[in-house]
Amino acid sequence: MRALSLMICQLTQSSSDIVESLSAYFTLDTFDLDSIRIANRPCENSDDLEEDIWGVAGLVLGLASSVGAIYRAGAHDAVLKIKGLILSWIPHVNSLVQNYGFCSEGTEILMSVGSCLALPIVVTFCQRVELINDNELDHLLNGYVELISELISVKKSGSFHQSLLMASCIGAGSLLACILNEGVHSIEVECVKGLLELFRKCYSDPYPPLIHLGGMLGVVNAMGASAGILVHINHLTSSMQTGYEQTESRYLRGPLLSSPVCQPDLTSLMQDIFLVAQNSDEHQLQQYAAWAVSFLRHHMWSKEVLDSDDIAGSKSVSHSFPDDTVIMRLCLWLMHLSVSEKGIIAHVGTVATVLRCLSRASRLPILDWGAIIRRCMRYEDQVAELLPPDSALMKGILREECVQFSISHANQFDPLLTFLDELSDLSRFKTLELNLQTCLLIHLADLIKVFSGSRIEKLLNDITHYLSSVTSILRISCWKGLYQCLDEASLDSVDYIYHIEKCMEVLFSLLPMQSASITEVDRLSFVEEWSEAIKCLGKARRGWLLDFLQVSQEDLVHGAGQFIDVVKKIQVKAKLVRIGSLPLTELGRLKAYILNSEPRGVWDVLIEVVATLQHAEGSVRRQWVVDALEVSCISSYPSTALQFLGMLCGISCKYMPLLILDRLTVLSDLPVTLTSLISDPSWEVVAESIVSYLWVSTERIYNWATQNLSSDDTPGIQPIDESENDMVAFLLRVMHRACVSLKDHLPLEKQLKLANMVVN
């Protein structure tokens, strides 16, 4: 791109703007930009350029041929700028690019030859990625007609005039073919016939041979031959697929060779060219005519055309439908859907309903479904100015139905598979509306069924890279899509499971944490995202899941970002245990980590663990209560273990049927809830251990509160962290009250010590 841009800048004046704007995408350094500014002056000898006009054309063709790669690199604005630049160099077409600030003056007119050839390449690509609209297509075609008409009327014979007329004929034919062969936009019959007549005039009137060649190539290119174009721009090839049945229609939509209306004109044109190739006295002209015939013959006998006809013929029996069946009538109605014709315009909701019905059909007749679905994708925007908006119909629902229809039948029709392949490519996917991105992500499992192995890997890799910049809605959709993939796949047999797991790892890292300032809408989204994540992770391979959710002591002492991931892992583990995807022992392995953590940041973890233990057996809960009290005797953060103890006692005793989620409340209620548990006969087996640890923890907190820290000097006991200082008075009151309530379980010596404790 740098090389092309620098050379073009040496030839033109206004293109420095495009080069400087492209520098943002292609990292041109300061030296390159300075070189551009120095070289950015009109060439002194335009005669030299006229002698090498086709060399200049090659630069423009190179620029046009790069748009696909530039788009895939994510530089969508650069594609539009290149399109605008090429348009600006074509007379009668450049009025489209006023907003770009380009103009064709002076030496830049020499770029018009290459631009006439290159424009169909750019238009073909822009049609596929919806970067060009119907009005632009009509304007471009009319611009070619005006340019050719003007060049014919001017009596000149210079090399530049001949080259421009030749290039404009070749480009016009190619543009006509790329529009019609796409099968999406309709063109008036009279416009097409007028253009074909201009081609006839070019090769039949007494012009130099070069102009004759341009007219002949214009004819065969209009029929799809692609002569003189560096990339293949034709898509539809079979008359079986297009269904030209309205011979009286004023519009054409589909390959020119398939049109009954234009058949007489095309036959006459090709007879003329064939006679020149057979009988002309001028050897060069005869050779040019033979080339034109050969290009068309090569196209009509190409593998694409033959395969298409063969498919249409071989499947016509198995996919034959009587004309009076509902499916056939709906398909034909959809095939002839158009806003170009005068008459009743179908409502957007009607089209969406028809597509929804056909999505559920087990099979469909052989039609050009690729062109049909692309027309439907653009239909809503086309009729927006003609029909009042329907408040009951959500905008974009028709395009979503197009995607779902394509997914339903992509295994039967390759054009639909190609359509999905294009939409799923990351560069295209990023430009889609939110509802279409959501639809594709939710239907990941369906895409995987129709894509090849390498395409599946690319799809999942693209999604993984894209996830870091997406919204919560898309993350939720992706979790849903991955869940379907895991639900329908045998995980031991699929080759792409590694890529699914990488995708889940990225999604996990993006799981949001609960926030006090969260809005109601965000809270609902938060709950849904976590719910879908747990469902999906619950379907994952057990070995991978345990490795991924593994937490070590080192993880807990790292920075804030690392600690957040650890907190999420524990929360996920607790939720997975609750739904039965992991055994309770997996949560037990994290007991010491959870209860010995700093209170700040682990409150949500404590809630998840207690909510999980709520449904555990009584023996399991009893052991957790004992362990929590034991940890409070040695932890640097006793308030964490005691808050957990308060919640667990709350859900286990008869006075607290609900889970209390207030940090101070669960502690202040501890004397009541813990006493209630001890009084339950089923808890008598652990009553002695509970009261023993309760006393040790209370004495430790008392010594801490009174600055008698000698108890923490015992080997194996960690000193209480300074961050707990704010809780000291409150914790002491709570623990003292709990011990008083259970003093009958203490020996006399400890009862005396309890009575001598001074608690404010």
Side-chain angles (χ1 to χ4, degrees), residues 28-29 43 50 169 190 221 279 346 355 365 383 387 418-419 504 513 570 617 639 653 700 704 715:
L28 290 176
D29 54 36
C43 293
E50 286 199 27
C169 288
E190 291 307 313
N221 278 3
N279 303 321
L355 281 171
V383 302
L387 293 176
T418 301
F419 173 70
M504 287 193 289
M513 298 296 289
I570 299 174
E617 295 179 357
S639 63
C653 76
R700 181 183 185 223
W704 170 45

Short mmCIF file of all heavy atoms in Angstrom, two decimals, residues 28-29 43 50 169 190 221 279 346 355 365 383 387 418-419 504 513 570 617 639 653 700 704 715:
data_model
loop_
_atom_site.label_atom_id
_atom_site.label_comp_id
_atom_site.label_asym_id
_atom_site.label_seq_id
_atom_site.Cartn_x
_atom_site.Cartn_y
_atom_site.Cartn_z
N LEU A 28 2.39 4.42 8.01
CA LEU A 28 3.43 5.11 7.25
C LEU A 28 4.26 5.94 8.23
O LEU A 28 3.72 6.61 9.10
CB LEU A 28 2.80 6.05 6.22
CG LEU A 28 2.09 5.40 5.03
CD1 LEU A 28 1.44 6.48 4.19
CD2 LEU A 28 3.05 4.62 4.20
N ASP A 29 5.57 5.89 8.09
CA ASP A 29 6.39 6.66 9.01
C ASP A 29 6.54 8.09 8.52
O ASP A 29 6.09 8.46 7.44
CB ASP A 29 7.76 6.01 9.22
CG ASP A 29 8.47 5.77 7.89
OD1 ASP A 29 8.32 6.60 6.99
OD2 ASP A 29 9.19 4.75 7.78
N CYS A 43 2.96 16.29 -12.44
CA CYS A 43 4.08 15.90 -13.30
C CYS A 43 4.27 16.95 -14.38
O CYS A 43 3.31 17.49 -14.93
CB CYS A 43 3.82 14.54 -13.93
SG CYS A 43 3.81 13.22 -12.73
N GLU A 50 1.07 9.84 -21.05
CA GLU A 50 0.13 9.33 -22.05
C GLU A 50 0.72 8.14 -22.79
O GLU A 50 0.00 7.24 -23.19
CB GLU A 50 -0.24 10.44 -23.04
CG GLU A 50 -1.18 11.47 -22.45
CD GLU A 50 -1.88 12.28 -23.55
OE1 GLU A 50 -2.04 11.74 -24.66
OE2 GLU A 50 -2.25 13.43 -23.29
N CYS A 169 -15.64 0.98 -22.05
CA CYS A 169 -16.51 -0.09 -22.55
C CYS A 169 -16.29 -1.39 -21.74
O CYS A 169 -17.25 -2.05 -21.34
CB CYS A 169 -16.23 -0.36 -24.02
SG CYS A 169 -16.83 0.93 -25.13
N GLU A 190 -34.26 -0.79 -20.65
CA GLU A 190 -33.85 0.20 -21.64
C GLU A 190 -32.44 0.69 -21.41
O GLU A 190 -31.70 0.97 -22.37
CB GLU A 190 -34.83 1.39 -21.63
CG GLU A 190 -36.22 1.05 -22.15
CD GLU A 190 -36.16 0.40 -23.53
OE1 GLU A 190 -35.44 0.92 -24.40
OE2 GLU A 190 -36.84 -0.63 -23.72
N ASN A 221 -18.22 -9.06 -21.65
CA ASN A 221 -18.15 -8.85 -20.21
C ASN A 221 -19.53 -8.67 -19.60
O ASN A 221 -19.79 -9.10 -18.48
CB ASN A 221 -17.29 -7.62 -19.90
CG ASN A 221 -15.80 -7.95 -19.91
OD1 ASN A 221 -15.42 -9.07 -20.21
ND2 ASN A 221 -14.98 -6.98 -19.59
N ASN A 279 -14.66 -13.56 -40.92
CA ASN A 279 -14.55 -13.05 -42.30
C ASN A 279 -13.83 -11.72 -42.45
O ASN A 279 -13.67 -11.24 -43.57
CB ASN A 279 -15.95 -12.89 -42.91
CG ASN A 279 -16.72 -14.21 -42.89
OD1 ASN A 279 -16.15 -15.26 -43.13
ND2 ASN A 279 -18.02 -14.13 -42.59
N ALA A 346 -44.55 -5.17 -0.64
CA ALA A 346 -44.81 -6.08 0.48
C ALA A 346 -44.33 -5.47 1.79
O ALA A 346 -43.30 -4.79 1.84
CB ALA A 346 -44.11 -7.41 0.24
N LEU A 355 -40.13 -15.86 5.46
CA LEU A 355 -38.83 -16.47 5.72
C LEU A 355 -38.88 -17.39 6.95
O LEU A 355 -38.28 -18.46 6.96
CB LEU A 355 -37.78 -15.38 5.94
CG LEU A 355 -37.22 -14.70 4.70
CD1 LEU A 355 -36.37 -13.50 5.09
CD2 LEU A 355 -36.40 -15.67 3.86
N PRO A 365 -37.19 -25.83 -3.06
CA PRO A 365 -36.89 -25.99 -4.49
C PRO A 365 -35.57 -25.34 -4.85
O PRO A 365 -35.05 -24.48 -4.14
CB PRO A 365 -38.07 -25.28 -5.17
CG PRO A 365 -38.58 -24.32 -4.17
CD PRO A 365 -38.37 -24.96 -2.83
N VAL A 383 -37.38 -0.14 1.45
CA VAL A 383 -38.79 0.29 1.55
C VAL A 383 -39.00 1.30 2.67
O VAL A 383 -40.13 1.75 2.89
CB VAL A 383 -39.72 -0.92 1.76
CG1 VAL A 383 -39.57 -1.91 0.63
CG2 VAL A 383 -39.45 -1.60 3.11
N LEU A 387 -42.71 3.10 2.89
CA LEU A 387 -43.73 2.63 3.82
C LEU A 387 -43.55 3.31 5.17
O LEU A 387 -42.43 3.57 5.59
CB LEU A 387 -43.64 1.11 4.01
CG LEU A 387 -43.99 0.24 2.80
CD1 LEU A 387 -43.75 -1.22 3.14
CD2 LEU A 387 -45.43 0.45 2.36
N THR A 418 -22.04 -19.88 1.72
CA THR A 418 -21.11 -18.78 1.41
C THR A 418 -21.54 -17.49 2.11
O THR A 418 -20.71 -16.75 2.64
CB THR A 418 -21.06 -18.55 -0.11
OG1 THR A 418 -20.62 -19.75 -0.75
CG2 THR A 418 -20.12 -17.42 -0.46
N PHE A 419 -22.83 -17.24 2.10
CA PHE A 419 -23.38 -16.06 2.76
C PHE A 419 -23.05 -16.06 4.25
O PHE A 419 -22.58 -15.06 4.81
CB PHE A 419 -24.90 -16.03 2.53
CG PHE A 419 -25.62 -14.96 3.29
CD1 PHE A 419 -25.49 -13.63 2.97
CD2 PHE A 419 -26.47 -15.31 4.34
CE1 PHE A 419 -26.17 -12.65 3.68
CE2 PHE A 419 -27.15 -14.34 5.05
CZ PHE A 419 -27.00 -13.01 4.72
N MET A 504 -14.08 -20.00 26.26
CA MET A 504 -14.67 -19.93 27.59
C MET A 504 -13.73 -19.26 28.58
O MET A 504 -14.18 -18.53 29.48
CB MET A 504 -15.06 -21.33 28.06
CG MET A 504 -16.27 -21.91 27.36
SD MET A 504 -16.94 -23.39 28.17
CE MET A 504 -15.65 -24.58 27.80
N MET A 513 -18.13 -8.33 38.00
CA MET A 513 -18.27 -8.50 39.44
C MET A 513 -19.41 -7.62 39.93
O MET A 513 -19.68 -6.55 39.38
CB MET A 513 -16.97 -8.14 40.16
CG MET A 513 -15.78 -9.02 39.77
SD MET A 513 -16.00 -10.74 40.24
CE MET A 513 -15.82 -10.62 42.01
N ILE A 570 -13.73 -19.18 42.64
CA ILE A 570 -14.38 -19.80 43.80
C ILE A 570 -15.90 -19.68 43.68
O ILE A 570 -16.63 -20.62 43.99
CB ILE A 570 -13.87 -19.16 45.11
CG1 ILE A 570 -12.36 -19.37 45.24
CG2 ILE A 570 -14.59 -19.75 46.31
CD1 ILE A 570 -11.75 -18.65 46.43
N GLU A 617 -25.88 -31.85 53.31
CA GLU A 617 -26.29 -32.66 54.46
C GLU A 617 -25.88 -31.98 55.76
O GLU A 617 -24.94 -31.18 55.80
CB GLU A 617 -25.65 -34.04 54.38
CG GLU A 617 -26.10 -34.86 53.19
CD GLU A 617 -25.40 -36.21 53.14
OE1 GLU A 617 -24.52 -36.45 54.02
OE2 GLU A 617 -25.72 -37.01 52.25
N SER A 639 -12.58 -11.73 61.16
CA SER A 639 -13.93 -11.28 60.81
C SER A 639 -14.49 -12.03 59.61
O SER A 639 -15.70 -12.23 59.51
CB SER A 639 -13.93 -9.77 60.54
OG SER A 639 -13.13 -9.46 59.42
N CYS A 653 -30.25 -22.67 61.63
CA CYS A 653 -31.05 -22.72 62.85
C CYS A 653 -32.52 -22.44 62.56
O CYS A 653 -32.87 -21.92 61.50
CB CYS A 653 -30.52 -21.73 63.88
SG CYS A 653 -30.94 -20.01 63.53
N ARG A 700 -8.72 -14.68 72.10
CA ARG A 700 -7.73 -14.07 71.19
C ARG A 700 -8.15 -12.65 70.81
O ARG A 700 -7.34 -11.71 70.81
CB ARG A 700 -7.61 -14.93 69.93
CG ARG A 700 -6.59 -14.41 68.92
CD ARG A 700 -6.59 -15.26 67.68
NE ARG A 700 -5.55 -14.85 66.75
CZ ARG A 700 -5.71 -14.75 65.43
NH1 ARG A 700 -6.88 -15.05 64.89
NH2 ARG A 700 -4.71 -14.38 64.66
N TRP A 704 -6.37 -9.10 71.70
CA TRP A 704 -6.07 -8.13 70.63
C TRP A 704 -6.67 -6.78 70.96
O TRP A 704 -6.03 -5.74 70.81
CB TRP A 704 -6.65 -8.71 69.32
CG TRP A 704 -6.66 -7.76 68.16
CD1 TRP A 704 -5.67 -6.93 67.75
CD2 TRP A 704 -7.74 -7.56 67.26
NE1 TRP A 704 -6.05 -6.23 66.63
CE2 TRP A 704 -7.33 -6.60 66.30
CE3 TRP A 704 -9.02 -8.11 67.14
CZ2 TRP A 704 -8.16 -6.18 65.26
CZ3 TRP A 704 -9.83 -7.70 66.11
CH2 TRP A 704 -9.41 -6.74 65.18
N PRO A 715 3.61 -20.23 68.10
CA PRO A 715 3.99 -20.69 66.75
C PRO A 715 2.78 -21.24 65.99
O PRO A 715 1.97 -21.98 66.56
CB PRO A 715 5.01 -21.80 67.04
CG PRO A 715 5.55 -21.48 68.39
CD PRO A 715 4.42 -20.87 69.16
#
